Amino acid sequence: MTQEPKIFPYIERLLQGAEVVWKPLGEIAEIKRGQRVTKLELSNDKQYPVYSGGVKPMGYYDAYNQEANTITIVKYGTAGYVNFITERFWANDVCYCIKPHTILENKYLLYVLKDMQVYINSLATDAIPAHLPAPSLASIQIPLPPLSVQQEIVRILDKFTQLEAELEAELEAELDCRKRQYEYYRNKLLISFDESAVQWLTLDNIYKFQYGIGNKIPTIGGDYPVYGSNGIVGTHSEYNSEDAPVIGHIGAYAGIINWAKGKHFVTYNGIICKKINDNVNAKYAYYLLLLQNFIDKANKASQPFISYDVLNRCIVPIPPLEEQNRIVAILDKFDTLVNSISEGLPKEIALRRKQYEYYRERLLSFPS
Protein backbone atom coordinates (compact mmCIF):
# COMPACT_ATOMS: atom_id res chain seq x y z
CA MET A 1 0.00 0.00 0.00
CA THR A 2 1.34 3.43 -0.95
CA GLN A 3 1.85 5.66 2.07
CA GLU A 4 0.10 9.04 1.99
CA PRO A 5 2.55 11.97 1.88
CA LYS A 6 3.04 13.77 5.17
CA ILE A 7 2.05 17.41 5.09
CA PHE A 8 4.79 19.80 6.14
CA PRO A 9 3.80 20.83 9.73
CA TYR A 10 3.88 24.54 8.93
CA ILE A 11 1.52 24.09 5.95
CA GLU A 12 -0.72 21.83 8.06
CA ARG A 13 -1.10 24.66 10.58
CA LEU A 14 -1.93 27.09 7.76
CA LEU A 15 -4.60 24.76 6.39
CA GLN A 16 -6.43 24.74 9.74
CA GLY A 17 -8.27 21.62 8.65
CA ALA A 18 -9.23 22.99 5.21
CA GLU A 19 -9.56 20.36 2.49
CA VAL A 20 -6.98 20.06 -0.31
CA VAL A 21 -8.69 18.92 -3.51
CA TRP A 22 -6.98 17.57 -6.64
CA LYS A 23 -8.08 18.72 -10.07
CA PRO A 24 -6.91 17.93 -13.62
CA LEU A 25 -4.79 20.74 -15.02
CA GLY A 26 -7.15 21.10 -17.97
CA GLU A 27 -10.03 22.00 -15.60
CA ILE A 28 -8.23 24.71 -13.64
CA ALA A 29 -6.05 26.32 -16.31
CA GLU A 30 -6.18 27.22 -19.98
CA ILE A 31 -3.70 25.21 -22.07
CA LYS A 32 -3.00 26.79 -25.42
CA ARG A 33 -0.36 26.15 -28.05
CA GLY A 34 1.69 29.00 -29.43
CA GLN A 35 1.65 30.17 -33.05
CA ARG A 36 4.29 29.37 -35.60
CA VAL A 37 6.89 31.84 -36.80
CA THR A 38 9.84 30.76 -38.95
CA LYS A 39 13.52 31.56 -38.44
CA LEU A 40 13.40 33.67 -41.60
CA GLU A 41 11.00 36.04 -39.81
CA LEU A 42 13.32 36.51 -36.82
CA SER A 43 16.07 39.03 -36.26
CA ASN A 44 18.22 40.15 -33.31
CA ASP A 45 17.13 43.71 -34.11
CA LYS A 46 13.51 42.93 -33.22
CA GLN A 47 12.01 43.49 -29.77
CA TYR A 48 10.30 40.37 -28.44
CA PRO A 49 11.98 37.01 -27.70
CA VAL A 50 10.52 33.93 -29.37
CA TYR A 51 10.38 30.79 -27.22
CA SER A 52 10.05 27.40 -28.81
CA GLY A 53 11.44 24.13 -27.44
CA GLY A 54 14.51 25.44 -25.66
CA VAL A 55 15.54 27.22 -22.49
CA LYS A 56 16.68 30.32 -24.40
CA PRO A 57 14.92 32.30 -27.16
CA MET A 58 15.29 30.98 -30.69
CA GLY A 59 15.36 34.60 -31.91
CA TYR A 60 13.41 37.87 -31.77
CA TYR A 61 10.18 39.00 -33.43
CA ASP A 62 8.37 42.33 -33.86
CA ALA A 63 5.21 41.20 -32.03
CA TYR A 64 4.26 39.23 -28.90
CA ASN A 65 1.40 36.82 -28.20
CA GLN A 66 1.99 36.23 -24.47
CA GLU A 67 2.27 38.53 -21.48
CA ALA A 68 5.08 38.42 -18.96
CA ASN A 69 5.11 35.75 -16.23
CA THR A 70 3.65 32.98 -18.36
CA ILE A 71 4.29 29.29 -17.75
CA THR A 72 5.26 27.30 -20.84
CA ILE A 73 5.67 23.57 -21.35
CA VAL A 74 7.51 22.25 -24.39
CA LYS A 75 5.48 20.06 -26.76
CA TYR A 76 8.18 18.75 -29.14
CA GLY A 77 11.86 17.89 -28.73
CA THR A 78 12.66 18.61 -25.07
CA ALA A 79 9.05 17.59 -24.50
CA GLY A 80 7.70 18.33 -21.03
CA TYR A 81 10.27 20.98 -20.07
CA VAL A 82 8.60 23.56 -17.78
CA ASN A 83 9.70 27.15 -18.25
CA PHE A 84 8.64 30.55 -16.86
CA ILE A 85 9.02 33.60 -19.09
CA THR A 86 9.22 36.86 -17.14
CA GLU A 87 8.81 39.23 -20.12
CA ARG A 88 6.39 39.66 -23.00
CA PHE A 89 7.25 37.10 -25.68
CA TRP A 90 6.09 35.23 -28.74
CA ALA A 91 5.24 31.58 -28.01
CA ASN A 92 5.98 29.41 -31.02
CA ASP A 93 3.79 26.39 -31.80
CA VAL A 94 6.31 24.00 -30.25
CA CYS A 95 5.22 24.94 -26.72
CA TYR A 96 2.04 25.13 -24.65
CA CYS A 97 1.17 28.24 -22.63
CA ILE A 98 -0.51 27.58 -19.28
CA LYS A 99 -2.89 30.22 -17.87
CA PRO A 100 -4.36 29.32 -14.43
CA HIS A 101 -7.94 30.19 -13.51
CA THR A 102 -8.70 32.42 -10.52
CA ILE A 103 -8.68 29.52 -8.03
CA LEU A 104 -5.00 28.94 -8.79
CA GLU A 105 -2.01 31.20 -8.05
CA ASN A 106 0.25 31.44 -11.12
CA LYS A 107 3.59 31.00 -9.31
CA TYR A 108 2.11 28.23 -7.15
CA LEU A 109 1.20 26.30 -10.30
CA LEU A 110 4.73 26.89 -11.63
CA TYR A 111 6.28 25.39 -8.49
CA VAL A 112 3.92 22.41 -8.59
CA LEU A 113 4.75 21.72 -12.24
CA LYS A 114 8.49 22.12 -11.58
CA ASP A 115 8.16 19.63 -8.73
CA MET A 116 6.48 17.24 -11.21
CA GLN A 117 9.11 17.80 -13.92
CA VAL A 118 10.30 14.17 -14.08
CA TYR A 119 6.72 12.89 -14.23
CA ILE A 120 5.75 15.37 -16.96
CA ASN A 121 8.80 14.33 -19.00
CA SER A 122 7.65 10.71 -18.70
CA LEU A 123 4.35 11.60 -20.43
CA ALA A 124 6.17 12.36 -23.69
CA THR A 125 5.86 9.79 -26.47
CA ASP A 126 8.81 7.79 -27.81
CA ALA A 127 8.29 9.20 -31.30
CA ILE A 128 11.00 11.14 -33.16
CA PRO A 129 10.90 13.88 -32.19
CA ALA A 130 9.39 13.16 -28.79
CA HIS A 131 6.17 15.06 -28.14
CA LEU A 132 3.83 15.69 -25.23
CA PRO A 133 0.17 15.11 -26.18
CA ALA A 134 -2.26 17.79 -25.01
CA PRO A 135 -4.66 15.26 -23.35
CA SER A 136 -1.78 13.86 -21.25
CA LEU A 137 -0.84 17.36 -20.11
CA ALA A 138 -4.46 18.28 -19.35
CA SER A 139 -4.95 15.17 -17.20
CA ILE A 140 -2.13 15.99 -14.73
CA GLN A 141 -3.59 16.17 -11.23
CA ILE A 142 -2.84 19.42 -9.35
CA PRO A 143 -3.34 19.83 -5.55
CA LEU A 144 -5.50 22.85 -4.67
CA PRO A 145 -5.18 24.18 -1.13
CA PRO A 146 -6.88 27.52 -0.31
CA LEU A 147 -5.45 30.54 -2.15
CA SER A 148 -3.95 31.91 1.08
CA VAL A 149 -1.92 28.71 1.50
CA GLN A 150 -0.84 28.78 -2.14
CA GLN A 151 0.38 32.35 -1.66
CA GLU A 152 2.37 31.43 1.46
CA ILE A 153 4.03 28.53 -0.37
CA VAL A 154 4.95 30.92 -3.18
CA ARG A 155 6.40 33.41 -0.67
CA ILE A 156 8.64 30.74 0.90
CA LEU A 157 9.83 29.24 -2.39
CA ASP A 158 10.41 32.67 -3.93
CA LYS A 159 12.68 33.42 -0.97
CA PHE A 160 14.65 30.23 -1.56
CA THR A 161 14.97 31.10 -5.26
CA GLN A 162 16.17 34.61 -4.42
CA LEU A 163 18.73 33.34 -1.90
CA GLU A 164 20.04 30.79 -4.40
CA ALA A 165 20.40 33.48 -7.10
CA GLU A 166 22.17 35.83 -4.66
CA LEU A 167 24.57 33.09 -3.58
CA GLU A 168 25.35 32.17 -7.18
CA ALA A 169 26.00 35.82 -8.07
CA GLU A 170 28.19 36.29 -4.99
CA LEU A 171 30.30 33.20 -5.69
CA GLU A 172 30.69 34.05 -9.38
CA ALA A 173 31.72 37.62 -8.48
CA GLU A 174 34.33 36.23 -6.08
CA LEU A 175 35.63 33.93 -8.80
CA ASP A 176 35.76 36.77 -11.33
CA CYS A 177 37.62 38.97 -8.83
CA ARG A 178 40.20 36.25 -8.14
CA LYS A 179 40.67 35.61 -11.87
CA ARG A 180 41.29 39.30 -12.58
CA GLN A 181 43.66 39.55 -9.61
CA TYR A 182 45.52 36.46 -10.82
CA GLU A 183 45.80 37.80 -14.40
CA TYR A 184 47.03 41.17 -13.11
CA TYR A 185 49.85 39.64 -11.06
CA ARG A 186 50.70 37.14 -13.80
CA ASN A 187 51.08 39.93 -16.34
CA LYS A 188 53.05 42.08 -13.91
CA LEU A 189 55.40 39.27 -12.93
CA LEU A 190 56.01 38.17 -16.52
CA ILE A 191 56.54 41.63 -18.03
CA SER A 192 58.29 43.78 -15.38
CA PHE A 193 61.99 42.87 -15.48
CA ASP A 194 65.35 44.52 -15.18
CA GLU A 195 66.28 44.52 -18.89
CA SER A 196 69.94 43.82 -18.08
CA ALA A 197 68.97 40.52 -16.42
CA VAL A 198 66.61 39.27 -19.13
CA GLN A 199 67.22 37.37 -22.32
CA TRP A 200 64.62 37.71 -25.09
CA LEU A 201 63.89 34.54 -27.08
CA THR A 202 61.43 33.49 -29.75
CA LEU A 203 59.23 30.57 -28.72
CA ASP A 204 60.95 28.22 -31.18
CA ASN A 205 64.03 28.50 -28.92
CA ILE A 206 61.95 27.15 -26.02
CA TYR A 207 59.52 24.70 -27.61
CA LYS A 208 59.34 22.37 -30.54
CA PHE A 209 55.69 22.57 -31.60
CA GLN A 210 54.00 19.65 -33.31
CA TYR A 211 50.38 19.05 -34.29
CA GLY A 212 48.81 16.11 -32.48
CA ILE A 213 48.02 12.75 -34.03
CA GLY A 214 44.77 11.54 -35.57
CA ASN A 215 41.63 13.35 -36.67
CA LYS A 216 39.40 11.21 -34.45
CA ILE A 217 39.28 10.81 -30.69
CA PRO A 218 40.69 7.35 -29.74
CA THR A 219 37.91 5.06 -28.53
CA ILE A 220 39.81 2.02 -27.22
CA GLY A 221 40.35 3.60 -23.80
CA GLY A 222 43.40 3.33 -21.58
CA ASP A 223 45.39 4.93 -18.78
CA TYR A 224 46.30 8.20 -20.49
CA PRO A 225 44.00 11.22 -20.89
CA VAL A 226 43.36 12.41 -24.44
CA TYR A 227 43.52 16.15 -25.12
CA GLY A 228 41.78 17.82 -28.05
CA SER A 229 41.46 21.54 -28.66
CA ASN A 230 40.11 22.38 -25.18
CA GLY A 231 40.85 19.86 -22.47
CA ILE A 232 40.33 16.14 -21.92
CA VAL A 233 38.06 14.35 -24.40
CA GLY A 234 38.77 10.68 -23.61
CA THR A 235 41.46 8.13 -22.67
CA HIS A 236 43.99 6.12 -24.69
CA SER A 237 46.55 3.32 -24.24
CA GLU A 238 49.34 5.45 -25.75
CA TYR A 239 50.82 8.86 -24.97
CA ASN A 240 52.73 11.40 -27.06
CA SER A 241 53.42 14.19 -24.54
CA GLU A 242 54.15 14.59 -20.82
CA ASP A 243 53.75 17.43 -18.29
CA ALA A 244 53.32 20.10 -20.94
CA PRO A 245 50.89 22.67 -22.32
CA VAL A 246 48.42 21.71 -25.05
CA ILE A 247 47.33 24.50 -27.41
CA GLY A 248 44.05 24.29 -29.32
CA HIS A 249 45.05 23.89 -32.96
CA ILE A 250 41.90 24.17 -35.04
CA GLY A 251 38.24 25.11 -34.75
CA ALA A 252 36.33 27.21 -32.26
CA TYR A 253 38.93 26.59 -29.51
CA ALA A 254 42.00 27.44 -31.62
CA GLY A 255 44.46 29.21 -29.30
CA ILE A 256 43.06 27.91 -25.98
CA ILE A 257 45.86 26.67 -23.69
CA ASN A 258 45.59 23.88 -21.11
CA TRP A 259 48.28 22.45 -18.83
CA ALA A 260 48.32 18.65 -19.23
CA LYS A 261 49.73 16.99 -16.13
CA GLY A 262 51.58 13.69 -16.52
CA LYS A 263 51.63 11.49 -19.60
CA HIS A 264 48.88 12.26 -22.11
CA PHE A 265 47.86 11.86 -25.75
CA VAL A 266 47.21 14.87 -28.02
CA THR A 267 44.98 14.57 -31.11
CA TYR A 268 45.31 16.67 -34.28
CA ASN A 269 42.94 19.21 -32.72
CA GLY A 270 45.71 20.10 -30.25
CA ILE A 271 49.35 21.15 -30.48
CA ILE A 272 52.07 19.25 -28.62
CA CYS A 273 54.52 21.59 -26.85
CA LYS A 274 57.87 19.82 -26.30
CA LYS A 275 60.27 21.96 -24.25
CA ILE A 276 63.80 21.96 -25.75
CA ASN A 277 65.52 24.56 -23.54
CA ASP A 278 66.85 23.38 -20.16
CA ASN A 279 67.33 26.98 -19.01
CA VAL A 280 63.57 27.57 -18.92
CA ASN A 281 61.29 26.29 -16.14
CA ALA A 282 58.49 24.22 -17.74
CA LYS A 283 55.69 25.98 -15.83
CA TYR A 284 57.28 29.40 -16.45
CA ALA A 285 57.20 28.66 -20.19
CA TYR A 286 53.51 27.67 -19.84
CA TYR A 287 52.68 30.98 -18.13
CA LEU A 288 54.46 32.80 -20.97
CA LEU A 289 52.19 31.01 -23.46
CA LEU A 290 49.13 32.25 -21.56
CA LEU A 291 50.28 35.84 -22.21
CA GLN A 292 50.36 35.46 -25.99
CA ASN A 293 46.60 35.67 -26.70
CA PHE A 294 46.77 33.04 -29.45
CA ILE A 295 42.97 33.16 -29.80
CA ASP A 296 43.23 36.59 -31.46
CA LYS A 297 46.32 35.52 -33.40
CA ALA A 298 44.62 32.49 -34.98
CA ASN A 299 44.34 32.52 -38.75
CA LYS A 300 40.75 33.58 -39.47
CA ALA A 301 39.86 31.08 -42.17
CA SER A 302 36.46 29.40 -42.41
CA GLN A 303 37.95 27.11 -39.75
CA PRO A 304 40.27 29.12 -37.42
CA PHE A 305 43.68 27.50 -36.83
CA ILE A 306 47.05 28.17 -35.22
CA SER A 307 50.07 27.78 -37.52
CA TYR A 308 53.68 27.02 -36.56
CA ASP A 309 54.61 30.49 -37.83
CA VAL A 310 52.20 32.18 -35.38
CA LEU A 311 53.74 30.19 -32.51
CA ASN A 312 57.40 30.45 -33.41
CA ARG A 313 57.63 34.18 -34.04
CA CYS A 314 56.47 35.26 -30.55
CA ILE A 315 59.26 36.87 -28.50
CA VAL A 316 59.26 36.35 -24.71
CA PRO A 317 61.44 37.45 -21.72
CA ILE A 318 63.58 34.83 -19.96
CA PRO A 319 65.06 35.95 -16.61
CA PRO A 320 67.53 33.79 -14.63
CA LEU A 321 66.22 30.35 -13.64
CA GLU A 322 66.05 31.32 -9.95
CA GLU A 323 63.69 34.20 -10.79
CA GLN A 324 61.61 31.93 -13.01
CA ASN A 325 61.20 29.50 -10.12
CA ARG A 326 60.11 32.33 -7.78
CA ILE A 327 57.51 33.57 -10.29
CA VAL A 328 56.16 30.05 -10.85
CA ALA A 329 55.76 29.50 -7.08
CA ILE A 330 53.65 32.69 -6.79
CA LEU A 331 51.53 31.99 -9.87
CA ASP A 332 50.93 28.36 -8.91
CA LYS A 333 49.46 29.55 -5.59
CA PHE A 334 47.12 31.93 -7.43
CA ASP A 335 46.20 29.17 -9.89
CA THR A 336 45.37 26.78 -7.04
CA LEU A 337 43.19 29.42 -5.36
CA VAL A 338 41.25 30.19 -8.57
CA ASN A 339 40.77 26.49 -9.34
CA SER A 340 39.57 25.73 -5.79
CA ILE A 341 36.93 28.46 -6.14
CA SER A 342 36.01 27.20 -9.63
CA GLU A 343 35.54 23.67 -8.30
CA GLY A 344 33.78 24.80 -5.12
CA LEU A 345 31.31 27.07 -6.92
CA PRO A 346 29.25 24.33 -8.64
CA LYS A 347 29.31 22.18 -5.49
CA GLU A 348 28.00 25.02 -3.32
CA ILE A 349 25.28 25.91 -5.83
CA ALA A 350 24.28 22.22 -6.19
CA LEU A 351 24.00 21.94 -2.40
CA ARG A 352 21.68 24.96 -2.25
CA ARG A 353 19.55 23.59 -5.10
CA LYS A 354 19.15 20.27 -3.31
CA GLN A 355 18.07 22.13 -0.20
CA TYR A 356 15.55 24.15 -2.24
CA GLU A 357 14.20 21.03 -3.97
CA TYR A 358 13.83 19.28 -0.61
CA TYR A 359 11.67 22.09 0.83
CA ARG A 360 9.71 22.47 -2.42
CA GLU A 361 8.82 18.80 -2.28
CA ARG A 362 7.85 18.99 1.39
CA LEU A 363 5.77 22.15 0.92
CA LEU A 364 3.90 20.64 -2.04
CA SER A 365 3.22 17.19 -0.58
CA PHE A 366 -0.52 16.84 -0.08
CA PRO A 367 -2.58 13.66 0.35
CA SER A 368 -4.60 12.83 -2.75
Side-chain angles (χ1 to χ4, degrees):
M1 180 182 292
T2 305
Q3 203 170 19
E4 289 286 352
K6 291 183 179 179
I7 300 177
F8 198 48
Y10 178 65
I11 298 300
E12 189 170 24
R13 288 197 298 273
L14 286 177
L15 284 170
Q16 295 181 337
E19 184 182 4
V20 177
V21 297
W22 291 71
K23 296 279 187 180
L25 180 61
E27 287 185 17
I28 55 177
E30 178 189 16
I31 303 173
K32 190 175 180 180
R33 274 182 73 178
Q35 299 167 274
R36 174 167 296 190
V37 291
T38 65
K39 286 190 175 181
L40 293 176
E41 299 174 83
L42 307 182
S43 166
N44 286 335
D45 297 329
K46 295 181 178 179
Q47 182 177 357
Y48 299 103
V50 177
Y51 281 87
S52 184
V55 180
K56 296 180 178 179
M58 62 179 284
Y60 293 83
Y61 194 45
D62 51 16
Y64 65 92
N65 60 6
Q66 299 297 324
E67 292 289 347
N69 300 322
T70 293
I71 301 168
T72 66
I73 299 180
V74 177
K75 177 176 174 63
Y76 289 107
T78 53
Y81 174 72
V82 180
N83 205 357
F84 187 64
I85 316 302
T86 58
E87 58 187 326
R88 286 175 169 173
F89 69 103
W90 185 277
N92 211 356
D93 62 345
V94 177
C95 66
Y96 299 105
C97 297
I98 317 298
K99 304 289 183 65
H101 298 165
T102 54
I103 59 170
L104 191 56
E105 187 75 23
N106 189 42
K107 286 290 289 290
Y108 169 79
L109 176 59
L110 171 69
Y111 287 127
V112 170
L113 294 173
K114 279 289 189 184
D115 195 52
M116 293 180 172
Q117 182 67 82
V118 174
Y119 171 68
I120 296 171
N121 288 343
S122 74
L123 298 176
T125 68
D126 292 330
I128 301 177
H131 75 274
L132 176 61
S136 298
L137 181 59
S139 66
I140 294 173
Q141 296 290 316
I142 305 295
L144 277 177
L147 268 175
S148 60
V149 177
Q150 295 179 36
Q151 289 161 358
E152 178 62 8
I153 290 171
V154 167
R155 186 191 69 79
I156 296 170
L157 293 178
D158 275 354
K159 189 65 177 176
F160 269 106
T161 304
Q162 179 188 348
L163 291 172
E164 182 187 323
E166 288 173 355
L167 173 67
E168 189 169 343
E170 183 180 332
L171 291 172
E172 287 179 350
E174 174 71 11
L175 177 60
D176 183 61
C177 177
R178 292 291 180 233
K179 281 182 175 177
R180 284 187 281 110
Q181 190 178 35
Y182 164 61
E183 289 169 2
Y184 168 79
Y185 281 106
R186 185 186 69 197
N187 295 351
K188 190 174 180 65
L189 287 166
L190 295 173
I191 292 174
S192 302
F193 294 109
D194 178 357
E195 289 293 329
S196 64
V198 171
Q199 181 183 15
W200 291 86
L201 298 178
T202 53
L203 284 179
D204 60 354
N205 285 293
I206 301 172
Y207 285 115
K208 178 183 177 182
F209 296 109
Q210 178 187 340
Y211 298 141
I213 301 170
N215 291 328
K216 293 184 179 179
I217 298 169
T219 57
I220 61 174
D223 295 331
Y224 306 113
V226 175
Y227 282 79
S229 58
N230 187 30
I232 297 173
V233 293
T235 58
H236 194 33
S237 59
E238 301 175 12
Y239 68 92
N240 55 16
S241 184
E242 184 174 1
D243 282 329
V246 178
I247 303 173
H249 166 212
I250 192 166
Y253 297 112
I256 293 285
I257 302 169
N258 285 285
W259 176 261
K261 186 176 180 181
K263 295 174 180 178
H264 55 276
F265 186 88
V266 183
T267 71
Y268 182 71
N269 285 340
I271 298 171
I272 298 169
C273 304
K274 181 177 176 59
K275 191 170 74 69
I276 57 175
N277 192 323
D278 292 336
N279 293 317
V280 182
N281 179 301
K283 286 296 287 290
Y284 178 81
Y286 161 67
Y287 287 125
L288 287 176
L289 290 178
L290 293 176
L291 283 183
Q292 304 311 309
N293 196 8
F294 289 129
I295 296 172
D296 288 345
K297 293 177 181 177
N299 292 290
K300 303 300 182 184
S302 57
Q303 182 85 304
F305 71 97
I306 298 292
S307 66
Y308 291 137
D309 182 56
V310 166
L311 296 168
N312 290 332
R313 70 185 179 212
C314 294
I315 302 173
V316 295
I318 308 297
L321 195 55
E322 184 179 345
E323 178 64 7
Q324 294 178 43
N325 296 339
R326 185 185 75 85
I327 291 171
V328 166
I330 294 170
L331 293 180
D332 277 354
K333 286 180 181 178
F334 267 109
D335 193 51
T336 300
L337 175 62
V338 170
N339 286 335
S340 67
I341 296 173
S342 297
E343 292 168 6
L345 175 64
K347 290 179 183 177
E348 185 69 18
I349 291 171
L351 183 65
R352 290 294 174 260
R353 284 179 181 160
K354 281 185 179 178
Q355 186 182 42
Y356 160 71
E357 288 167 3
Y358 168 79
Y359 280 104
R360 184 182 67 192
E361 183 179 346
R362 293 293 306 277
L363 289 165
L364 296 172
S365 294
F366 298 104
S368 57

